[in-house]
Amino acid sequence: MRDILLWCVLPVLIVLGLRLFVFGLYAIPSGSMENTIMPGDRVITTHLSPRPIALRRGDIIVFKDPANWLANEGASHNSDRLIKRLIGLPGDTVECAGNGAPIVINGVPIDESAYLKPGVEPSRSAFSVTVPAGRLFVLGDNRANSADSRAHTNDGAQGLVPVDDVEGVAFVRYWPLNRMGWLSAHHDVFCDVPTRAPTG
C-alpha cells in the first residue's frame, strides 16, 4: 500500500497541485497576438504572477475579459479569457501620436519591432492614458487586429485591465508541436522607461 501511495497517488497529487496553483493551460481565441501567438495555439502560464512575482512591462498576460472585449476580436474559440502584452504599469503614462509613431511610455519612445507583427504600425490611432493604481494597459502584438486597451477607452475604466483579473504570465507555447517554444517578454524593450508611482 505504501508503494502504491508513493508511486501512483503522490505523483498524481503533485501534478494536480501544480496545475491548480502554479501553471495554467490556455487556448488562444483570436489573432490579436500574431505572429507571436497564432489562433488555436495553446500556451502554459505561471500563476505566480501577479503575486508573488511582480508583473513587468512586456509580459504576455492572460486575464479575464474585463468588458466584453472578445466580442470585438472575432474569437474562434469559446473563452472568457484574453491574452495581450503588458505595456503600461500603474503610474505609467502611455501615449502615441498615431500614424506610425512609436508608443511612448513616461516620455520614452520604445522600439517594438522585436515583437510587432511585420507591417503593422504601433498604433494607427492617437491616444494618451495614465494608468491608475490597480490597473494595467495592454496591447496586442497584431495592432491592426487587436481590440485592446486603445479600443475600450469609453468602457468606464479607460480600457484598463484590473490587476486582480490577471491569471498568469504565458511563458511557453506547447501546441501545435511544430510551433512549440518559449515566449519572450522582450523586457529589454522597456529597459530605459522610468518608473512612476501611481496617483490614484
Side-chain angles (χ1 to χ4, degrees):
M1 179 62 70
R2 184 177 63 183
D3 288 344
I4 292 175
L5 289 174
L6 181 62
W7 297 108
C8 296
V9 178
L10 185 59
V12 170
L13 291 176
I14 291 174
V15 169
L16 286 175
L18 290 173
R19 175 65 180 87
L20 289 173
F21 301 108
V22 181
F23 299 114
L25 306 177
Y26 295 91
I28 305 309
S30 74
S32 69
M33 285 294 292
E34 294 178 0
N35 288 335
T36 304
I37 312 172
M38 305 297 288
D41 282 0
R42 295 179 181 271
V43 301
I44 301 176
T45 69
T46 170
H47 289 326
L48 298 178
S49 293
R51 289 176 293 274
I53 299 175
L55 294 170
R56 299 173 64 186
R57 300 182 195 95
D59 286 344
I60 300 172
I61 62 172
V62 172
F63 55 94
K64 298 175 187 175
D65 189 344
N68 200 28
W69 290 17
L70 278 167
N72 298 318
E73 293 223 351
S76 58
H77 294 75
N78 292 327
S79 174
D80 60 352
R81 302 295 188 270
L82 293 107
I83 186 165
K84 305 287 183 188
R85 193 174 296 273
L86 172 54
I87 301 297
L89 293 168
D92 287 346
T93 295
V94 185
E95 51 195 338
C96 181
N99 296 320
I103 301 295
V104 177
I105 307 174
N106 300 338
V108 176
I110 58 173
D111 179 1
E112 300 183 279
S113 57
Y115 53 78
L116 282 183
K117 183 176 182 178
V120 172
E121 300 174 345
S123 181
R124 184 169 297 176
S125 59
F127 64 86
S128 180
V129 176
T130 298
V131 185
R135 299 280 176 166
L136 304 167
F137 185 94
V138 299
L139 294 173
D141 288 357
N142 180 10
R143 303 284 162 81
N145 186 34
S146 179
D148 46 41
S149 288
R150 299 167 301 159
H152 297 276
T153 55
N154 60 351
D155 68 357
Q158 289 188 288
L160 302 174
V161 177
V163 173
D164 290 342
D165 284 355
V166 176
E167 297 190 346
V169 175
F171 66 95
V172 68
R173 179 178 46 245
Y174 72 92
W175 188 265
L177 294 178
N178 64 345
R179 286 177 47 77
M180 182 184 294
W182 300 104
L183 297 172
S184 176
H186 296 286
H187 292 140
D188 55 304
V189 170
F190 307 87
C191 63
D192 293 329
V193 176
T195 297
R196 291 182 180 174
T199 57

